[in-house]
Amino acid sequence: AFPYTGVAGTGNERSFIAIKPDGVQRGLIAEVISRFEKKGYKLVAMKMIWATEEMAANHYDDLKGRPFFPALVKYFASGPIVAMVWEGPDVIKTGRKILGATNPQAADVGTLRGDFCLTTGRNIIHGSDGPESAAHEIGMWFTEKECSAYSRSIDSWIVADN
Ligand code: IDP
Ligand code: MG
């Protein structure tokens, strides 16, 4: 058994992905899930949760000193989010590519932010930016029991052994 926060650099790499309150309000839950599913990644945990401002501040710990931090905390706690853990090869870095650049005006068309939003302060989705933040975020939002380690019969059609 590997740590439930995942093992970066392996087929069991895991990333924390969250649809922010604006993404939920705008009806983009299925769209986000669909993009990760169709890519081939495996959903190993998911829940809707309305974060408190304290949880939001803890989640964005590394941005505490930034001028936009108070607004960010309010935004993230402004309604329910859909919190998820996705697993698969290079899911942390590739997941960030699926999201697109932080500023939607710089995000490529074809990415979630490039296709569905307009400003940094309402950019619909969060994704872990590295192995350490993935471990911290998965550990913060999910218990080990909430993360299902399972195989799919289709896995060998998605990832080759060689
Ligand atoms: P990321 O979400 O792409 O990882 P971070 O730099 O980690 O981007 O910032 C976290 C979140 O904080 C962003 O997704 C965005 O919602 C918000 N944010 C970042 N920079 C700004 C800013 O300059 N103005 C307003 N909000 C910002
Ligand atoms: Mg970030």
Side-chain angles (χ1 to χ4, degrees):
F2 55 88
Y4 84 96
T5 52
V7 185
T10 74
N12 294 122
E13 182 168 313
R14 291 178 169 184
S15 185
F16 177 75
I17 303 291
I19 304 167
K20 294 175 177 179
D22 51 337
V24 172
Q25 292 292 327
R26 294 183 50 204
L28 295 171
I29 297 170
E31 181 71 38
V32 171
I33 292 172
S34 184
R35 296 225 178 170
F36 280 83
E37 268 191 322
K38 285 188 239 176
K39 176 71 173 165
Y41 287 126
K42 186 190 294 180
L43 183 61
V44 300
M46 177 166 73
K47 63 183 162 193
M48 175 174 271
I49 179 168
W50 193 329
T52 62
E53 290 192 13
E54 194 177 17
M55 291 161 86
N58 184 22
H59 173 74
Y60 283 120
D61 214 352
D62 54 322
L63 298 173
K64 217 177 293 178
R66 302 297 191 86
F68 58 84
F69 184 76
L72 172 60
V73 166
K74 282 206 158 48
Y75 162 45
F76 200 77
S78 63
I81 63 168
V82 174
M84 298 174 282
V85 179
W86 286 90
E87 180 183 85
D90 205 36
V91 66
I92 297 172
K93 190 150 55 70
T94 302
R96 297 278 298 183
K97 287 188 196 159
I98 293 170
L99 267 54
T102 303
N103 180 348
Q105 291 167 25
D108 290 331
V109 170
T111 66
L112 286 163
R113 286 164 170 169
D115 287 352
F116 296 111
C117 48
L118 298 173
T119 66
T120 305
R122 296 286 184 271
N123 62 359
I124 71 165
I125 189 161
H126 168 83
S128 303
D129 67 4
E132 297 79 20
S133 57
H136 170 252
E137 291 165 5
I138 293 167
M140 184 196 147
W141 293 98
F142 291 99
T143 64
E144 180 160 16
K145 276 189 141 180
E146 288 174 322
C147 296
S148 301
Y150 63 102
S151 55
R152 302 171 296 190
S153 58
I154 202 174
D155 280 343
S156 64
W157 292 104
I158 299 173
V159 177
D161 294 334
N162 54 16

